[in-house]
Amino acid sequence: QRLQTLLNEFRSHSTFKYQMISNFIIAFLYKVKEVLQNADPIEGRSFGYSPLVIRFRKLLDDHFRDIANGRANQLYKLNQIAEELFVHPNYLGSLVKKETGKTVTQWIRDRMIAEAQSLLQNTSLSIAEIGYQLTFKEPTNFTKYFKKQTGLTPRAYRESLNL
């Protein structure tokens, strides 16, 4: 029924049809996010990940959820993650790299950029506020980090969404 509503809106001649469609999609994505946050971490099993790598990814997800909700003010580093998982950092790093093709640092960086892009796209928070929320001590550091990873400043990224 929701898909039919979306299609009906697309076929309409309403002045606000694109805003309505956008809102339907955003609501759908929030519902998907809610389902995924409450789901068991079975996704990793379909990729053949070991239980430790699955726990690593869940820990990373939980940590970024804590950052987003203001319950963490510092980004995990490899040593802290390994300590939480009761393994040696070298072992965790090599296992994650072997099974996923990405280093722990790459996982953290990619997740940080995804969170930043989501906040830039879906909130009206200032760039400085987003930087602080994502544990950067100075907004300029956030801007430099974001630009190094994406090739765009946060402001340019946000403006590109409004084209």
Side-chain angles (χ1 to χ4, degrees):
Q1 179 174 349
R2 291 182 180 144
L3 181 59
Q4 188 61 48
T5 304
L6 184 65
L7 289 172
N8 290 343
E9 193 59 42
F10 180 73
R11 292 180 185 129
S12 78
H13 297 290
S14 170
T15 308
F16 302 104
K17 82 177 187 178
Y18 293 110
Q19 289 90 339
M20 299 272 295
I21 291 170
S22 174
N23 288 337
F24 281 129
I25 292 171
I26 289 170
F28 171 75
L29 291 175
Y30 275 117
K31 192 64 172 169
V32 168
K33 184 177 181 179
E34 178 184 357
V35 168
L36 291 177
Q37 284 179 341
N38 296 325
D40 290 331
I42 60 170
E43 172 256 299
R45 290 187 209 128
S46 65
F47 291 106
Y49 294 157
S50 66
L52 180 59
V53 171
I54 292 170
R55 287 189 2 247
F56 157 73
R57 294 205 40 211
K58 178 162 181 6
L59 180 66
L60 195 60
D61 287 344
D62 291 347
H63 182 61
F64 271 93
R65 196 169 303 117
D66 287 344
I67 287 172
N69 293 323
R71 292 189 301 263
N73 59 5
Q74 188 176 6
L75 190 61
Y76 272 164
K77 295 191 177 7
L78 173 60
N79 289 346
Q80 293 165 302
I81 295 171
E83 187 177 313
E84 287 280 326
L85 296 172
F86 304 104
V87 296
H88 193 277
N90 292 345
Y91 176 70
L92 178 63
S94 64
L95 186 66
V96 168
K97 174 71 173 171
K98 178 183 169 194
E99 290 189 19
T100 70
K102 291 177 13 179
T103 66
V104 170
T105 303
Q106 288 171 315
W107 275 102
I108 294 169
R109 181 193 64 222
D110 291 352
R111 184 60 191 266
M112 176 67 78
I113 292 301
E115 290 294 323
Q117 288 173 327
S118 177
L119 289 169
L120 288 164
Q121 185 172 351
N122 298 313
T123 71
S124 60
L125 293 173
S126 72
I127 291 166
E129 290 171 319
I130 291 171
Y132 289 131
Q133 183 170 340
L134 294 175
T135 73
F136 288 87
K137 301 293 184 222
E138 296 294 328
T140 55
N141 292 341
F142 169 63
T143 298
K144 289 176 190 174
Y145 181 85
F146 190 89
K147 183 171 184 179
K148 181 178 179 185
Q149 302 305 323
T150 67
L152 294 171
T153 64
R155 182 177 315 282
Y157 177 80
R158 186 174 259 173
E159 289 170 357
S160 74
L161 298 171
N162 295 324
L163 295 179

